[in-house]
Amino acid sequence: MKPRVLVTRKVYPAALAILQEDCVVDYHDAYEVLSPERLQRKLQHAHGVVCQLTDRLDAAALAAAPNLRAIAQIAVGYDNIDVAAATARRIAVTNTPGVLTEATADLTFALLLATARRLPAAERFLHSGAWQRWDIDLWCGADVHGRTLGLVGFGRIGQAVARRAQGFGMRVLYSSRNRAEPALEAELRAQHVPLDLLLAQSDFVSVHVPGGAATRHLIGVEQVCRMKRTAFLINTARGSVVDEAALIAALEEGLLAGAGLDVFEQEPQVPEALRRLPNVVLLPHIGSAVTSVRSLMCALAARDCAAVLRGERPQHLVNPEVFA
Ligand code: NAP
Ligand code: GLV
């Protein structure tokens, strides 16, 4: 009997073609996110699930899935999945690292530039018909070239952002639990420093750690207060890493120059207070939103799901204990 795979939301067709070779596919062909009750009902008969960061695969959902052997997330981050509960049930969890690194680094740099140079507001001004003439201080912003960039997290995406910063002649600092190899530090001209020093010295602080309990509010009131008043905070990682209330308060009180955010604590809800601020650029979680990249992510997740269901080790396994 072919295994049964639930695809929770609309995906690129590449994923379906791969899954249909070996599996019976229960495709929820819609943008709508399944409610916890519907997800649990559908999981009852599933051997595999291809899911997205909007699906909550918590202990309750897994408890409702007695046959589940594979959770294939179409994203690199997987803080929506209770990996410990999955491991306890010997369910393999996979993700899609690598294929989205450059696209997400591009978006991070675009957001940094847009925030520093106030591009969205300047464009809205022109579209509104308000432009009268060239003025000496019209839409002036902050310098990027030659400034200091602090990367919180120096994994695949953090390093890819550091590469882009080289082209802008930036000084690059980074903080992470483990130090990178000296050769890599030299290649990227990046200096490992404690987080407090990074916050105090950077003109741009860009966040690149995973979401989840270990990094929740890593950037909180205390950290925001350590930043320069002229500095910008950029977050394309996960909303939970930054204490949004503390960030809003700091922006309102002029303790920071601005922020560029692609991710939020309660997506898709974005606090009204944040949307009202003139010095923020806000994007709807589009870090990896390049058609070819998203298609590759779908294919990768489908391949890994099918591999697990064939009893093979998948390419990107989050919980290797399951295959030990
Ligand atoms: P990665 O290669 O695993 O890098 C993660 C980095 O975070 C590493 O430097 C890691 O180094 C550090 N880190 C991990 N846990 C930490 C902790 N508790 N405290 C401090 N540092 C910690 O991941 P990636 O591929 O660069 O992706 C990073 C994140 O970006 C993803 O998890 C995802 O949430 C987010 N993302 C967002 C988008 C978007 O659309 N906006 C797109 C792609 C990815 P150490 O272990 O040495 O600390
Ligand atoms: C997107 O946010 C991802 O984690 O891939």
Side-chain angles (χ1 to χ4, degrees):
M1 203 180 67
K2 284 185 170 185
R4 210 179 155 82
V5 174
L6 169 64
V7 178
T8 59
R9 296 184 66 201
K10 194 175 272 298
V11 290
Y12 279 96
L16 300 173
I18 292 165
L19 290 169
Q20 278 157 354
E21 282 176 25
D22 295 331
C23 314
V24 175
V25 180
D26 175 9
Y27 182 29
H28 180 230
D29 184 8
Y31 290 111
E32 172 208 12
V33 179
L34 289 168
S35 67
E37 296 73 28
R38 282 184 73 197
L39 180 62
Q40 287 186 22
R41 263 202 309 279
K42 282 181 170 288
L43 282 172
Q44 269 175 21
H45 308 290
H47 298 98
V49 57
V50 174
C51 60
Q52 301 182 22
L53 52 82
T54 41
D55 300 313
R56 187 134 299 283
L57 283 146
D58 54 15
L62 301 187
N67 304 312
L68 200 64
R69 281 158 34 215
I71 300 173
Q73 164 96 334
I74 308 176
V76 63
Y78 47 82
D79 50 319
N80 56 312
I81 300 169
D82 187 334
V83 177
T87 307
R89 292 176 174 276
R90 303 206 64 72
I91 300 168
V93 178
T94 70
N95 66 341
T96 61
V99 292
L100 46 61
T101 297
E102 301 303 334
T104 309
D106 283 347
L107 188 282
T108 303
F109 225 88
L111 183 55
L112 186 156
L113 286 166
T115 308
R117 297 296 300 271
R118 309 168 72 193
L119 300 186
E123 206 224 17
R124 283 195 297 273
F125 166 80
L126 185 148
H127 274 284
S128 75
W131 190 23
Q132 301 289 319
R133 63 196 164 250
W134 187 92
D135 291 334
I136 197 70
D137 57 354
L138 185 66
W139 293 107
C140 279
D143 236 347
V144 173
H145 184 268
R147 298 294 169 156
T148 298
L149 171 65
L151 298 166
V152 181
F154 198 59
R156 289 168 292 247
I157 298 171
Q159 290 167 25
V161 173
R163 280 202 176 82
R164 284 151 180 76
Q166 284 187 340
F168 284 78
M170 299 180 92
R171 172 180 175 231
V172 176
L173 308 176
Y174 77 94
S175 73
S176 61
R177 292 170 305 182
N178 303 298
R179 195 169 166 181
E181 292 296 322
L184 183 67
E185 287 187 350
E187 182 201 332
L188 299 181
R189 279 179 261 136
Q191 187 187 348
H192 186 252
V193 292
L195 179 59
D196 283 355
L197 189 68
L198 179 149
L199 295 167
Q201 294 201 352
S202 298
D203 300 301
F204 298 91
V205 172
S206 189
V207 181
H208 299 286
V209 294
T215 56
R216 186 168 186 277
H217 290 184
L218 183 67
I219 306 297
V221 182
E222 206 184 297
Q223 288 70 31
V224 166
C225 290
R226 282 185 199 280
M227 289 174 65
K228 299 183 194 179
R229 292 180 91 100
T230 51
F232 295 84
L233 181 71
I234 309 297
N235 186 8
T236 60
R238 279 292 180 272
S240 61
V241 181
V242 174
D243 179 344
E244 221 163 60
L247 175 64
I248 293 169
L251 289 164
E252 285 175 342
E253 288 163 28
L255 301 178
L256 285 183
L261 308 174
D262 182 45
V263 288
F264 304 89
E265 285 205 74
Q266 303 294 334
E267 293 177 11
Q269 285 151 42
V270 178
E272 163 81 27
L274 196 51
R275 287 188 277 127
R276 266 202 315 265
L277 285 165
N279 50 347
V280 297
V281 177
L282 308 174
L283 301 176
H285 201 149
I286 55 167
S288 65
V290 171
T291 308
S292 58
V293 171
R294 287 282 170 83
S295 184
L296 280 172
M297 290 163 64
C298 289
L300 201 53
R303 266 201 298 277
D304 269 355
C305 184
V308 173
L309 298 180
R310 283 195 303 269
E312 295 165 12
R313 195 184 170 93
Q315 193 180 352
H316 297 295
L317 185 58
V318 168
N319 53 349
E321 309 91 292
V322 169
F323 269 74

